[in-house]
Amino acid sequence: MGSLGDSLAKRSVSRALFKCGALAAVVALTFGSPAFAQDEPTSTPPAPVETSTASSTPTTPVAPTPSDEPAPPQFEVKPGGQPSDKPASAGNLNGVLYADKNRNGAQDPDEAISGGKVVIKGDVDTSPHETTSDANGKFVFTGLVPGNYRPTYQLTDGWAVHQYDVNGGLVTVFPNQTAEVSARAERRFDEQLKATFTLDKVSYGYPGIATINVKLTNTTDSTISGIQVVCDREIFPEMLGRDLAPMSLEIEAGDERTVTFVRDIPRAARDKGNFRLDCDFAPFAKWNTDGPKIHTEAPVAGTPAYTLLLADDKNGNSAVDPGEAIAGAEVVLLDARTGARVVQGASESDGTIEFGSLAVGDYRAVLLGDWDFRDAAGEQVHVTEQGGAGHRFLKHSSPPDLRGTIKFGKPRYESHETISMELTVTNVGGKAAERARLDWNPYQLNIPNEQWGEFRDNGAGIRIPVGESRTFNVSGQPRDFTFGKLTVWVAFDFVGQTRTGQPAFSGSVEVGQTRGDLGGLVYTDKNRNGQPDPGEGAADAVVELGGGAPYWSTKLYTDANGRFSAKNIPSGLYWINYTLAGGWVVHFEGQQEQIKVEPGAPVDLTVRGERPYRETLKAAVVLDKATYNAGDDAKITITLTNTGDRVITGIQAGCNRVGNRNQLGGTDLDPMPESWGDLRYGTPGVTLNPGETKTLVAVEKVPVAARAARKVEVACDFAPNPGYNTDGPFGYDWASVPGGSSGGLKGRLYHDLNRNFLVDSGEAIPNMRIMLVTDAKDGFLVAETRSDAKGYVTFENLPVGNFWLVVDGPWQFQGEYGGHVGIWDGGVAQVDLSVVPGPAPQRGGDDPHPVTPEPEDDTDTTSTEGALAKTGASVLGLAGLSALLVAFGIGARVAGRRRTS
């Protein structure tokens, strides 16, 4: 990144942004050139006239010229001009308004517009000033407070003054000077462009996805560049397409372009029963609102919603009276059958919570904090096909409180023995503990998860009512003990539990150290008869051991005959890994198990080495399309060939081993779809006879997450038991997916003095400049904001991708990935902004906002007004950056379609 411009560490990011040649290309991608690209005189806005420090007002930076042959600027601002008869501090603005009928970029005879309405509004003088142009097209504003002003023009007969810069035609008025403006009008953009569209469906469901195909046609005889889209100018919650896509299109004369957008159906559309689509298209569409518009509405049917009203019946009349609604009460809905967590919400100021997208069925409501239902029936929530609603009266109650005691089967064990343990958990709090489970599985004992049942740390959890206990009898081999004593620690998790002050409980037992021996033979089965023969011993094979109690590890090498030995090692369970020379591999059949070492007879292993599966098994993976939309069906064709002379059985697929959400074939959270058939784990697998080829087809939905990555991928290796054997052939393919538009980020900037992972009084950092950059050290500024009085930081309308946060002050994020954030389409990332003291970036004195700490008041933890206001004006080059990312993606797509082996 350093080659693109000045690094953040050396220079203010905002200054580097405007000095970078590469960034000019980004802005060019975003903003394009004016509508009529033609040979005509060009000029650039002059730099402001230097005046004394006491009286000058800096101008807004001018964006780089967005094309090789820019059209003349719409406004030529010339500080100076006629002397003013107004007070010394006032300035003037003179202008001329003309219709460029011959499109030569200059005013010619008979082009003056008379009676045109001109309105200006300033950043200091915020009251509107209005006038009309005279017969010569001239207009005058006198006695203006110095500052920046934005003119707008109301014209008739299809004429419009368009803006072609990032500042929307701002004009700077200096003290005692007159700014001169030349306002060039051209035909409205809805005369130059035509827009039509189609939707992929007649009606939609929620949650769901809509695909919009928009066809734009250039009806003129000149190229139109920099076409952008703006949707939902009136801000309807049921609007489809808000921040539809940062784009910059160029359409040749008489040509047309089709653009496809994919958007999630808004929740508000489900509530209203339909979504709206209102968008307009124009170069610099933020300022130019006269482009062609598209509008439609489509019905939306959603899954049922349930509205819950919470109240404190203070007068005991069993009615919800004014002042009895409870705001801020948090409720979690659990599946009444499985106990699984479904959704969580907090009551609004009127005491209501709306739970949307619920399946028909029964749920159990759980109140967090110091509220509880007045009677047990309040926990029951029944959702019908029409949804439902109900009110509940609450009472104050202390939260659940789980305590634990640990007992062992006998007072002393030897380290090779299995240790039995009894854990009793008691709820001494004021409410039932819902979905109670271990916070972690004790490390000191190797206790199989199944012994804990649903109380295991990744289980569904159990319910422990007030005053009741649950007892668990478990056992396992010791993993760790010191000074002859093994100590087991446990802690508990339940709905609403926080880690603040969470107690841990322990129990100890004496353990005596014992030892044993382990050895074996590693051989390469060259004649494939399944047994070691003379000359097959694998010399110099690496044998890595790890395990025992206390934990012990070593690396051994086999001798010339392939034998290895480890004597007098700590008793216990060991994992063993083998690395053989010449590409030989030790395969595992079924689940790999640990080897137990104990006193007495030594363990003697026979380990068979084979050739890698990829030498005889070949694989190819191909997607049926080069481009998909999110939600489309992707057909994956898998071709497997056995080039060897032996049958290969149990072939399965190991896909998406990195766990990316844009990949097909399942993730660490979602199993491989059933359409993969016998390639899935838990199936018999695929059998291939010698020389046989089999083709299998899997069909899978393109995940929504592929929009953020801008591509969908399938990456799999194939082998018997691929959970342990990773030496099979690899198949890979990918396809483009229209990218996501924008996302957001929220968090609270604080210094965790007491290291409790919470923002306590005095830890929030207010009024601090936060920058989102493309790289932590050498990146370019994407957006910036400031933390508000309570430390809250909010970014909106960010491009999708991976970025870094940097604090412009004496603070820094910790660790190699501290400050790294991911922005996804349509979502708001909730991030922990914990920082520690560090060196402040060298800002060169260009930060116009000195840091002035404000007193912290934790009574309101939701306000982000200050941060929101600053963010809106500080997102720099969003569309351009996104366009550049798209360009890079397209380049890679063209460079190589598929890569398989």
Side-chain angles (χ1 to χ4, degrees):
M1 288 299 234
S3 64
L4 294 178
D6 296 334
S7 77
L8 180 63
K10 298 178 181 178
R11 185 183 297 268
S12 163
V13 179
S14 57
R15 287 187 175 182
L17 187 67
F18 290 104
K19 290 178 178 289
C20 171
L23 191 65
V26 173
V27 177
L29 278 170
T30 307
F31 301 121
S33 58
F36 290 109
Q38 51 191 336
D39 294 331
E40 49 191 19
T42 63
S43 65
T44 56
V49 172
E50 295 187 4
T51 59
S52 67
T53 314
S55 61
S56 66
T57 302
T59 61
T60 304
V62 178
T65 304
S67 70
D68 293 334
E69 298 182 1
Q74 297 301 299
F75 303 105
E76 300 180 21
V77 182
K78 302 176 180 178
Q82 301 298 322
S84 173
D85 56 357
K86 299 296 179 182
S89 61
N92 306 317
L93 188 153
N94 293 349
V96 60
L97 179 62
Y98 71 97
D100 191 13
K101 299 175 183 179
N102 58 8
R103 299 175 4 222
N104 68 347
Q107 183 178 0
D108 299 308
D110 299 325
E111 288 188 343
I113 297 177
S114 64
K117 184 177 180 180
V118 185
V119 179
I120 63 172
K121 190 175 181 179
D123 53 3
V124 178
D125 181 5
T126 58
S127 59
H129 300 265
E130 180 181 323
T131 189
T132 55
S133 58
D134 63 16
N136 297 316
K138 295 183 179 180
F139 56 90
V140 177
F141 294 95
T142 61
L144 299 176
V145 176
N148 293 322
Y149 289 83
R150 176 171 286 111
T152 58
Y153 305 85
Q154 299 176 20
L155 308 180
T156 59
D157 300 328
W159 292 96
V161 175
H162 293 138
Q163 312 296 350
Y164 292 105
D165 68 77
V166 295
N167 299 311
L170 279 179
V171 178
T172 301
V173 175
F174 292 94
N176 304 317
Q177 298 183 35
T178 298
E180 295 186 0
V181 173
S182 177
R184 170 179 174 262
E186 54 184 336
R187 301 307 297 174
R188 290 172 54 92
F189 280 128
D190 53 14
E191 293 185 12
Q192 305 178 36
L193 281 171
K194 298 298 180 185
T196 59
F197 71 96
T198 58
L199 297 176
D200 61 326
K201 298 178 183 178
V202 177
S203 62
Y204 296 83
Y206 177 87
I209 298 172
T211 301
I212 312 147
N213 292 297
V214 180
K215 183 170 71 174
L216 296 171
T217 304
N218 180 354
T219 63
T220 73
D221 57 1
S222 301
T223 300
I224 304 178
S225 301
I227 302 169
Q228 299 171 335
V229 58
V230 171
C231 298
D232 191 22
R233 292 188 187 270
E234 299 181 34
I235 312 179
F236 288 99
E238 72 274 18
M239 180 66 68
L240 183 74
R242 184 180 300 126
D243 299 325
L244 193 58
M247 69 175 193
S248 180
L249 295 180
E250 180 175 277
I251 306 178
E252 301 292 336
D255 202 356
E256 65 182 32
R257 291 281 300 275
T258 298
V259 186
T260 300
F261 303 110
V262 179
R263 299 303 295 170
D264 293 330
I265 303 297
R267 175 177 168 177
R270 179 211 64 190
D271 301 335
K272 188 176 178 59
N274 67 285
F275 68 68
R276 292 168 56 99
L277 179 66
D278 281 305
C279 303
D280 56 87
F281 302 83
F284 277 68
K286 176 180 179 181
W287 308 115
N288 301 318
T289 62
D290 59 330
K293 296 176 172 54
I294 60 175
H295 166 82
T296 192
E297 297 182 9
V300 175
T303 52
Y306 191 95
T307 301
L308 194 62
L309 170 61
L310 305 179
D312 182 6
D313 189 15
K314 299 175 182 178
N315 56 14
N317 67 348
S318 297
V320 181
D321 299 314
E324 291 185 343
I326 299 174
E330 292 187 89
V331 175
V332 176
L333 290 189
L334 306 179
D335 187 299
R337 182 177 55 86
T338 65
R341 187 189 193 110
V342 178
V343 67
Q344 179 175 339
S347 57
E348 303 289 344
S349 59
D350 60 355
T352 62
I353 309 175
E354 181 179 337
F355 297 104
S357 303
L358 294 176
V360 173
D362 293 317
Y363 300 84
R364 189 167 71 249
V366 179
L367 274 157
L368 309 185
D370 57 358
W371 288 106
D372 198 4
F373 295 108
R374 193 172 66 179
D375 54 74
E379 299 176 355
Q380 307 305 315
V381 172
H382 180 67
V383 179
T384 68
E385 293 181 354
Q386 290 73 41
H391 68 275
R392 304 288 190 276
F393 293 118
L394 309 185
K395 63 180 180 180
H396 286 283
S397 178
S398 60
D401 187 358
L402 297 183
R403 304 299 174 95
T405 58
I406 295 174
K407 296 179 182 179
F408 293 94
K410 60 182 184 178
R412 175 182 169 82
Y413 292 87
E414 292 191 330
S415 62
H416 65 276
E417 292 184 292
T418 298
I419 297 177
S420 60
M421 183 184 81
E422 179 185 275
L423 170 65
T424 300
V425 185
T426 304
N427 183 3
V428 299
K431 293 192 296 186
E434 303 285 352
R435 208 198 60 177
R437 57 187 180 180
L438 288 171
D439 196 39
W440 62 77
N441 197 356
Y443 170 77
Q444 294 80 7
L445 277 182
N446 187 10
I447 302 171
N449 265 338
E450 56 267 21
Q451 292 189 19
W452 294 108
E454 295 301 335
F455 196 67
R456 65 186 183 274
D457 56 0
N458 61 349
I462 64 175
R463 189 173 194 263
I464 306 180
V466 175
E468 294 190 16
S469 300
R470 298 290 184 270
T471 299
F472 304 90
N473 290 289
V474 295
S475 61
Q477 291 289 130
R479 277 200 184 106
D480 189 31
F481 62 94
T482 56
F483 303 110
K485 183 176 289 188
L486 180 144
T487 301
V488 174
W489 290 88
V490 296
F492 313 115
D493 178 62
F494 49 86
V495 173
Q497 170 74 357
T498 66
R499 295 186 180 275
T500 306
Q502 179 175 244
F505 305 94
S506 66
S508 299
V509 66
E510 291 186 18
V511 176
Q513 179 73 67
T514 60
R515 295 179 177 273
D517 300 333
L518 182 151
L521 168 68
V522 181
Y523 74 99
T524 54
D525 192 10
K526 298 175 183 177
N527 58 10
R528 296 183 293 174
N529 67 350
Q531 63 185 24
D533 296 308
E536 289 186 342
D540 295 322
V542 179
V543 182
E544 297 172 279
L545 304 179
Y551 182 84
W552 179 87
S553 64
T554 190
K555 180 185 291 186
L556 305 172
Y557 295 88
T558 57
D559 61 18
N561 298 315
R563 296 204 63 87
F564 67 94
S565 177
K567 295 184 177 298
N568 200 34
I569 64 177
S571 299
L573 300 174
Y574 283 84
W575 293 106
I576 307 180
N577 185 62
Y578 305 93
T579 305
L580 283 64
W584 291 86
V585 177
V586 175
H587 289 138
F588 296 98
E589 298 179 4
Q591 184 173 355
Q592 186 181 7
E593 295 184 355
Q594 291 177 287
I595 305 299
K596 186 176 182 179
V597 174
E598 55 188 347
V603 177
D604 190 26
L605 303 174
T606 301
V607 182
R608 177 174 179 250
E610 300 177 276
R611 297 309 300 169
Y613 284 122
R614 68 173 65 94
E615 291 187 0
T616 55
L617 180 62
K618 304 301 178 183
V621 174
V622 178
L623 294 169
D624 64 322
K625 295 181 181 179
T627 302
Y628 298 95
N629 289 317
D632 285 354
D633 284 336
K635 185 169 73 173
I636 310 132
T637 300
I638 305 106
T639 303
L640 301 174
T641 302
N642 180 0
T643 63
D645 58 0
R646 301 289 181 95
V647 175
I648 306 177
T649 62
I651 303 169
Q652 298 169 335
C655 300
N656 192 16
R657 294 189 183 274
V658 295
N660 288 339
R661 303 298 292 180
N662 70 310
Q663 289 199 15
L664 303 174
T667 68
D668 51 349
L669 299 177
D670 303 311
M672 180 177 284
E674 292 185 4
S675 65
W676 286 75
D678 284 343
L679 291 173
R680 295 173 297 151
Y681 292 158
T683 68
V686 175
T687 297
L688 287 177
N689 293 314
E692 184 180 11
T693 295
K694 284 187 178 180
T695 299
L696 303 96
V697 176
V699 179
E700 192 172 339
K701 295 287 186 185
V702 174
V704 174
R707 288 188 293 159
R710 300 184 183 274
K711 63 181 177 179
V712 60
E713 300 173 283
V714 56
C716 307
D717 53 86
F718 301 86
N721 196 22
Y724 293 97
N725 301 318
T726 59
D727 59 311
F730 180 76
Y732 176 82
D733 197 10
W734 68 284
S736 297
V737 176
S741 59
S742 64
L745 182 149
K746 291 184 179 180
R748 198 174 187 191
L749 188 67
Y750 71 104
H751 180 206
D752 193 10
L753 294 169
N754 57 8
R755 301 179 63 82
N756 67 346
F757 304 101
L758 296 173
V759 185
D760 300 311
S761 179
E763 291 184 344
I765 303 174
N767 200 24
M768 188 63 62
R769 182 185 181 203
I770 310 294
M771 297 171 285
L772 186 80
V773 296
T774 55
D775 183 80
K777 295 181 179 180
D778 301 306
F780 296 101
L781 181 66
V782 177
E784 69 176 73
T785 186
R786 300 186 77 85
S787 58
D788 69 8
K790 301 183 183 70
Y792 287 99
V793 174
T794 300
F795 286 94
E796 292 183 326
N797 298 327
L798 297 176
V800 171
N802 292 302
F803 302 96
W804 297 83
L805 290 171
V806 176
V807 182
D808 189 9
W811 302 98
Q812 64 183 12
F813 293 97
Q814 299 182 75
E816 181 181 359
Y817 293 99
H820 183 263
V821 294
I823 308 301
W824 65 90
D825 173 40
V828 177
Q830 303 287 338
V831 294
D832 180 8
L833 301 180
S834 174
V835 293
V836 296
Q842 299 179 16
R843 296 184 286 114
D846 70 332
D847 185 357
H849 305 287
V851 175
T852 305
E854 299 178 28
E856 182 178 345
D857 178 8
D858 280 324
T859 57
D860 178 9
T861 60
T862 59
S863 173
T864 55
E865 180 179 354
L868 283 169
K870 297 182 181 67
T871 303
S874 302
V875 178
L876 305 178
L878 167 62
L881 181 60
S882 297
L884 188 58
L885 295 175
V886 172
F888 287 155
I890 292 174
R893 191 75 178 95
V894 172
R897 171 72 177 98
R898 296 183 174 90
R899 177 164 52 89
T900 61
S901 62

